[in-house]
Amino acid sequence: MGRLTIGSDPEFGFINEAGDQVYATKFINNPVEYGVGLDHHTHIAEVRSRPSGCPLRHVQAIKYLLNRDIKIPSNIKVVAGTFCGQDPLGGHIHFGFPEKYGNSSFCSEATTALDSLLGVPVLCLEDSAEASQRRTDKFHAVNGNEGVNGPYGFWGDFRETDHGFEWRTLPSWLVSESFAKQILCTAYVVVHDFMVNHKIHINFSDSYSKFNNGDKLLATTSLKKIFETIRSMELYPIYAIQIASLFGLLKAFGGNKTWNCKENIIPKWNRR
């Protein structure tokens, strides 16, 4: 079949003690290639580590880069999640695979599988209003780019790349090291299953408007079915701890709580 690789360029921002956004250019000025840097945006930054055939190794590489490249005063927090200030944050994940899979139809259908089996469950953690705003509003471009960007992270949001495709639906999952492992392991298992079976087990495409508008009920009523579907996939036993932990977390939130997008992520990466 050929080797599936996973990469990413999740975004993050900075806030001060008052909770106000501090633009990334105050601390980071280099464009991102591999490492922490800017990618056509002066307000937020991203971390980009090299792709790997193992999602857990990829997370370790992200951790190394966060530790190496982020140098900030103690009164500044690094934040992830859905928004930093008025800027939406993305948790983009890249998949690479042999050329025979690299066509628009394959990438689009793999994106539907990811949206249905991972994008929908993560709604449990998001603030509904922010999730809707991120996926339905248009955002003014910055850093000299004309026009507007967005919506951002809507149903079916992907880009074809030279190596495969970039899945752009999720908000930034950099909120903690453990959560990053859970998200990337689940995504890897889902795409691998689609490569093997060419089947979308659960398809919420008919409910795309509910998803784009942050309807948590779509997620909470589907969690058990989605988890059982992923448990049946070939690679699940390898990443069972991470995936089961993710769905345990989502069930605990139950659509009644949301993640804190103003909490400093650095301690949650055990950064030293």
Side-chain angles (χ1 to χ4, degrees):
M1 181 186 70
R3 187 181 190 218
L4 174 67
T5 62
I6 188 167
S8 65
D9 50 355
E11 296 168 336
F12 60 92
F14 301 94
I15 60 174
N16 60 23
E17 290 177 308
D20 298 323
Q21 184 179 13
V22 180
Y23 290 166
T25 47
K26 186 173 179 64
F27 310 109
I28 299 170
N29 292 300
N30 55 293
V32 65
E33 182 176 2
Y34 289 107
V36 169
L38 308 176
D39 184 23
H40 307 298
H41 205 305
T42 59
H43 297 184
I44 58 176
E46 63 180 51
V47 56
R48 184 179 297 173
S49 59
R50 296 186 184 278
S52 173
C54 171
L56 294 176
R57 286 200 299 269
H58 185 61
V59 173
Q60 286 304 112
I62 292 171
K63 181 176 180 178
Y64 169 78
L65 293 174
L66 291 175
N67 184 58
R68 185 192 72 179
D69 293 350
I70 296 182
K71 310 296 181 184
I72 54 174
S74 60
N75 65 329
I76 297 295
K77 295 180 180 179
V78 181
V79 296
T82 310
F83 276 90
C84 179
Q86 295 300 309
D87 293 306
L89 300 175
H92 306 156
I93 305 175
H94 294 249
F95 299 95
F97 34 73
E99 186 176 349
K100 68 177 181 178
Y101 297 101
N103 59 71
S104 296
S105 177
F106 178 90
C107 296
S108 177
E109 291 174 3
T111 293
T112 298
L114 286 164
D115 284 351
S116 299
L117 296 176
L118 186 52
V120 167
V122 171
L123 277 179
C124 289
L125 304 177
E126 296 185 73
D127 176 85
S128 293
E130 289 186 346
S132 176
Q133 181 185 2
R134 180 174 172 270
R135 294 184 171 108
T136 58
D137 282 7
K138 293 183 177 180
F139 302 93
H140 287 286
V142 295
N143 204 33
N145 296 321
E146 296 181 359
V148 293
N149 293 324
Y152 199 52
F154 52 87
W155 183 270
D157 193 0
F158 79 96
R159 289 179 182 169
E160 291 184 62
T161 64
D162 292 339
H163 53 267
F165 74 101
E166 176 189 27
W167 182 46
R168 298 171 53 82
T169 299
L170 291 184
S172 178
W173 34 262
L174 281 178
V175 290
S176 73
E177 180 180 358
S178 60
F179 189 64
K181 290 177 179 178
Q182 293 162 13
I183 290 293
L184 292 177
C185 289
T186 305
Y188 190 84
V189 169
V190 168
V191 174
H192 176 271
D193 177 82
F194 185 76
M195 287 178 64
V196 172
N197 297 305
H198 302 281
K199 180 179 179 180
I200 301 174
H201 300 278
I202 299 175
N203 189 341
F204 288 108
S205 294
D206 290 343
S207 301
Y208 76 91
S209 61
K210 291 182 178 180
F211 176 80
N212 287 344
N213 285 291
D215 186 345
K216 285 177 175 281
L217 193 61
L218 179 65
T220 56
T221 57
S222 308
L223 278 183
K224 183 177 179 180
K225 181 179 179 181
I226 292 172
F227 180 50
E228 290 302 319
T229 297
I230 296 174
R231 282 185 64 186
S232 70
M233 294 180 177
E234 181 181 352
L235 294 189
Y236 175 80
I238 299 175
Y239 303 109
I241 292 174
Q242 290 78 25
I243 298 173
S245 296
L246 172 63
F247 280 85
L249 174 68
L250 298 174
K251 182 179 179 181
F253 268 64
N256 298 315
K257 299 188 293 181
T258 61
W259 54 12
N260 183 357
C261 294
K262 290 193 173 183
E263 188 171 5
N264 190 7
I265 70 171
I266 294 301
K268 295 191 174 185
W269 281 85
N270 297 319
R271 185 171 176 234
R272 292 178 175 85

